[in-house]
Amino acid sequence: MSALLTKIKEAKEFIQNKSKIKPRIGIILGTGLGGLAEEIEDRDVIPYCNIPHFPISTAPGHKGNLILGRLSDKQIVAMQGRFHFYEGYSLDEITFPIRVMKFLGIKFLIESNAAGGMNPDFKIGDLMVITDHINLTGNNPLIGPNDEQLGPRFPDMSEPYNKRLIELIRKIALEEGIELHRGVYVGVTGPNFETRAEYKFLRLIGADAVGMSTVPEVIVAQHSNLRVLGITCISDECFPDTLKPVDFRKVIQGAKKAEPKMKKLVKRVIEKI
Ligand code: HPA
């Protein structure tokens, strides 16, 4: 057994000793979806710092708990707070919780995040379902020895975001009267926001929104054969010609605008999964 697999199993056993929930759906509560944590019923809250081999979250606005419970009558596991490359963790560390959730039994992963909108049709507070991504972190969580028990050496990436889930959330958004864009998310490392020239470049290569998370997690989710749904709230507008200085507090405010819509969509998606 690889060292990674041993660690995953230790974390999994610890969690299963603390909770009877058998989750089929994992959710990463990023900026803009944190409030969903309060709506999880019969919840068992496990601080990351207690779970063997879990990193500890340092990013402002991000809490650090694994929550097992019920949402829309389904058994789920949620990450309240995620880990970012810019905090100094390796991509292995950042994505370790995804591997643990897979071993807890999840088949579906719902990713949420806040990102800068580069598509001129997007406004602050809008939502976008991620149809594809570009990994511009200059790194990859799968570099290193591959454990075939966890996934293939060369995972396919032709459909990193599940088409059926994209169609499902679009249908729900239409029913609810919530505007939902579709688009490509480009993942960068941060922590600085981009220059005008970088936004121009990212738009040119086909991205609609840019953010500092999600991509490494989705690569590992694919390696783990999970079906992924990714939802982005547009927290700031990144139009090179009219760019204003962006500050982190404004980004959080922008994400908060989208939170009620995001919560509604995610709860309804879970109901239908
Ligand atoms: N750039 C990168 N990451 C982000 C941004 C941005 O403009 N907004 C929120 N996350």
Side-chain angles (χ1 to χ4, degrees), residues 168-180 265:
L168 176 63
I169 195 168
R170 290 187 74 203
K171 188 167 152 271
I172 291 170
L174 203 64
E175 284 169 14
E176 296 287 343
I178 294 173
E179 185 185 22
L180 179 66
L265 289 183

Side-chain angles (χ1 to χ4, degrees), residues 218-265:
V218 172
I219 292 172
V220 166
Q222 281 310 309
H223 189 241
S224 309
N225 197 25
L226 295 173
R227 273 162 276 176
V228 176
L229 175 68
I231 314 157
T232 293
C233 61
I234 302 300
S235 55
D236 52 312
E237 289 168 0
C238 308
F239 310 135
D241 299 332
T242 54
L243 192 68
K244 295 189 195 70
V246 53
D247 102 55
F248 173 72
R249 281 163 307 217
K250 286 238 177 82
V251 168
I252 302 283
Q253 273 172 18
K256 278 257 172 284
K257 265 178 94 170
E259 180 152 359
K261 295 184 284 184
M262 180 100 118
K263 266 164 64 169
K264 176 164 260 174
L265 289 183

Side-chain angles (χ1 to χ4, degrees), residues 114-118 185-186 188 190-194 199 202 209-213 233-238 243 246 251:
M118 298 181 295
Y185 176 98
V186 58
V188 295
N192 60 279
F193 293 107
E194 289 67 32
Y199 286 129
L202 297 174
V210 53
M212 304 175 194
S213 68
C233 61
I234 302 300
S235 55
D236 52 312
E237 289 168 0
C238 308
L243 192 68
V246 53
V251 168

Side-chain angles (χ1 to χ4, degrees), residues 200-218:
K200 243 180 217 168
F201 165 73
L202 297 174
R203 182 75 188 129
L204 204 65
I205 63 170
D208 297 286
V210 53
M212 304 175 194
S213 68
T214 304
V215 165
E217 297 158 357
V218 172

